Amino acid sequence: MFSAANVKAAPSPDLLTADNSVMLFVDHQPQMFFGTGSGDRTSIINATVGLAKAARAFDVPAVLTTVAAESFSGPILPQLAQVFPGQEIIDRTTMNAWEDGRVVEAIKATGRRKIIISGLWTEVCIVLPVLSALGQGYEVYVVADASGGVTPQAHEHALQRMINAGAVPVTWIQVLLELQRDWARTETYLPVMDIVKEHGGAYGLGVVYAQSVIGAHAAG
């Protein structure tokens, strides 16, 4: 029951933070991009790299995985690998990443319950692990613009299926700003602004303009 006496200036426990989240990148590979037709592939790459840099800026654990890298799909997106130099990339045979014990153990090892997931294709390699993780009690956030399906319908129907099951749709810049949440958080302010300027499109240009006119510490 609502009581004004319990209302205070505090964030919701539903919000993503650097301490409660883990990112899972699934199958951002050449062959998968070739078959992606739900949106502009360059935009998906930009969103994926922006999301990865958000993970790095806030020290959010990231799990990288591919499917059939040597026999069919090719290596992980080079720009993504560069964000996490030297990190293990888990290559699978199963389309459902949640059926690979190495992936599940990597997620479990972080101790985080909120999974931020992105990848290709939405209707296969995202839906399957999302439904599986939800079924085992995880909270799952699907980064829609860092993911893509074979067709717009496939992407949207897959998102709707996951939403109906309890997943939360987000965008990469939403994740970035939710992790920052306070422009007074100086330790991550400059990295966030750098990510926005490089990957935030018109928003990034706006930051460049504001900083040139107002000053280097103009808030985003």
Side-chain angles (χ1 to χ4, degrees):
M1 181 180 295
F2 172 79
S3 171
N6 296 326
V7 176
K8 57 184 177 180
S12 165
D14 290 335
L15 294 181
L16 298 168
T17 72
D19 298 320
N20 66 17
S21 304
V22 54
M23 293 197 191
L24 176 58
F25 293 87
V26 182
D27 305 349
H28 291 95
Q29 300 167 262
Q31 187 66 39
M32 307 307 291
F33 273 107
F34 295 158
T36 297
S38 61
D40 178 66
R41 286 171 284 192
T42 300
S43 296
I44 296 172
I45 292 172
N46 178 71
T48 301
V49 178
L51 181 67
K53 290 181 178 179
R56 183 179 63 187
F58 288 92
D59 292 324
V60 174
V63 177
L64 310 180
T65 183
T66 56
V67 64
E70 294 186 5
S71 61
F72 180 73
S73 300
I76 197 168
L77 184 69
Q79 300 95 310
L80 176 57
Q82 288 169 7
V83 178
F84 307 106
Q87 180 161 330
E88 177 189 9
I89 299 168
I90 302 172
D91 190 49
R92 320 176 321 274
T93 59
T94 173
M95 287 181 278
N96 181 4
W98 208 261
E99 292 180 45
D100 189 301
R102 296 167 300 167
V103 175
V104 175
E105 288 303 316
I107 296 290
K108 288 171 61 177
T110 69
R112 315 297 178 85
R113 191 177 172 189
K114 296 180 186 291
I115 302 174
I116 303 168
I117 187 171
S118 62
L120 308 175
W121 298 318
T122 322
E123 66 271 28
V124 182
C125 297
I126 299 301
V127 162
L128 301 182
V130 166
L131 296 181
S132 301
L134 287 169
Q136 295 186 24
Y138 281 88
E139 300 171 29
V140 184
Y141 299 76
V142 181
V143 189
D145 56 352
S147 304
V150 174
T151 65
Q153 293 84 357
H155 181 67
E156 292 302 323
H157 293 169
L159 285 173
Q160 192 58 56
R161 182 181 180 187
M162 290 184 283
I163 292 168
N164 289 343
V168 180
V170 292
T171 64
W172 82 267
I173 207 158
Q174 177 183 351
V175 172
L176 173 70
L177 298 183
E178 192 163 326
L179 291 172
Q180 176 67 22
R181 210 173 66 244
D182 187 342
W183 293 122
R185 188 168 289 149
T186 56
E187 65 272 19
T188 51
Y189 174 81
L190 290 178
V192 166
M193 287 295 95
D194 288 341
I195 294 168
V196 167
K197 286 187 285 188
E198 186 172 0
H199 299 281
Y203 174 31
L205 289 176
V207 170
V208 172
Y209 173 78
Q211 291 183 341
S212 67
V213 174
I214 301 170
H217 297 288

